[in-house]
Amino acid sequence: MSIQVKDVMGRVAITVTKNASFADIVAAMKRYAVGAVTVIDADRRPVGIVSEEDLLLKETLPARRSVPVFESRRRRQEHRKAAGVTAAELMTAPAITVTPGTSVRDAAELMRDRRIKQLPVIDPVTGRASGTLHQRDVLRVFARPAAELEAEINALLPDPAAFWVEIDGGVVSIRGTVEWSSQVVDLAEAIRRIEGVVDVVTDLSYDKEDLLIVPPLL
């Protein structure tokens, strides 16, 4: 069973409008204890994100009157944000979003790849903000009850009664015998892909060899 964003997301869409002031953004972050807010347009559709890092540029970058000729695009953007006073000027655009039906695994990979700590959740029909997914929400999958994990593991086993399975803190230990050697690898990987599994320790044997062993080149 794939856990989706709707199963763990926060139901409050933490947003500000494009004309929100610097002080308004700081107040919203403080009120909801978050490190970023979603900037929305008049139809409540996300258009960008303002993070604490964006706001800190106001302190870390000095004011300037001219733009160096060989300045990088990223540096120009940082200086633009440092001079900004509204959400539209401070935000990073476009907003990176997910829907309630996005898998938590895909959302986690998006956070990792884009180096972001939260994602606006949008209604797939209207495109409007309907919630927020935080890193802490994603980590909730590792608090799944052992009974849920065991049920998913048993669904992968050819004969659950023939295997011994123990789950401790998300670490799955499994012992038993499968028919083919390739099933040892496939089963371990399938269990490892279950949301909430931290690691897999296998003590599996097999009856038949079906993995081709290539001798080393001389």
Side-chain angles (χ1 to χ4, degrees):
M1 178 185 69
S2 175
I3 298 179
Q4 299 179 329
V5 166
K6 65 183 178 182
D7 299 319
V8 298
M9 62 182 266
R11 302 294 172 176
V12 176
I14 305 169
T15 64
V16 296
T17 60
K18 291 194 289 185
N19 62 353
S21 69
F22 191 102
D24 291 337
I25 297 169
V26 173
M29 288 183 178
K30 182 178 180 180
R31 178 182 179 185
Y32 294 102
V34 294
V37 293
T38 302
V39 184
I40 56 174
D41 62 16
D43 293 320
R44 291 190 57 80
R45 295 186 177 92
V47 293
I49 300 290
V50 179
S51 67
E52 290 173 328
E53 288 77 10
D54 294 326
L55 299 182
L56 286 173
L57 291 172
K58 183 75 71 175
E59 288 294 327
T60 59
L61 286 184
R64 65 180 187 181
R65 297 181 180 178
S66 61
V67 180
V69 176
F70 299 108
E71 188 173 62
S72 68
R73 179 182 178 183
R74 177 181 176 182
R75 197 63 171 173
R76 287 197 300 272
Q77 290 176 335
E78 289 179 343
H79 276 288
R80 174 182 58 79
K81 291 179 182 181
V85 294
T86 66
E89 297 166 336
L90 294 160
M91 71 183 186
T92 299
I96 301 169
T97 63
V98 292
T99 68
T102 302
S103 73
V104 170
R105 187 180 299 276
D106 288 343
E109 290 177 353
L110 189 58
M111 287 180 169
R112 180 199 63 197
D113 294 343
R114 298 301 185 93
R115 297 181 180 180
I116 49 182
K117 298 179 181 178
Q118 65 187 57
L119 292 165
V121 183
I122 61 171
D123 184 288
V125 177
T126 65
R128 294 178 178 175
S130 60
T132 307
L133 181 72
H134 299 270
Q135 282 183 332
R136 63 177 178 270
D137 297 326
V138 174
L139 292 175
R140 283 170 57 190
V141 301
F142 293 105
R144 293 182 67 193
E148 287 187 11
L149 297 179
E150 186 172 1
E152 289 197 40
I153 293 168
N154 286 339
L156 299 172
L157 302 177
D159 179 10
F163 291 82
W164 174 84
V165 177
E166 183 180 62
I167 303 171
D168 183 10
V171 177
V172 177
S173 299
I174 181 169
R175 184 169 65 242
T177 302
V178 293
E179 183 177 5
W180 299 98
S181 60
S182 60
Q183 290 179 285
V184 173
V185 177
D186 293 342
L187 183 56
E189 287 304 311
I191 295 174
R192 190 171 280 110
R193 285 194 296 270
I194 294 175
E195 281 97 346
V197 170
V198 176
D199 197 9
V200 180
V201 179
T202 62
D203 184 13
L204 297 170
S205 56
Y206 55 88
D207 296 325
K208 304 174 186 177
E209 175 65 69
D210 65 339
L211 293 176
L212 177 64
I213 300 176
V214 180
L217 297 176
L218 299 178

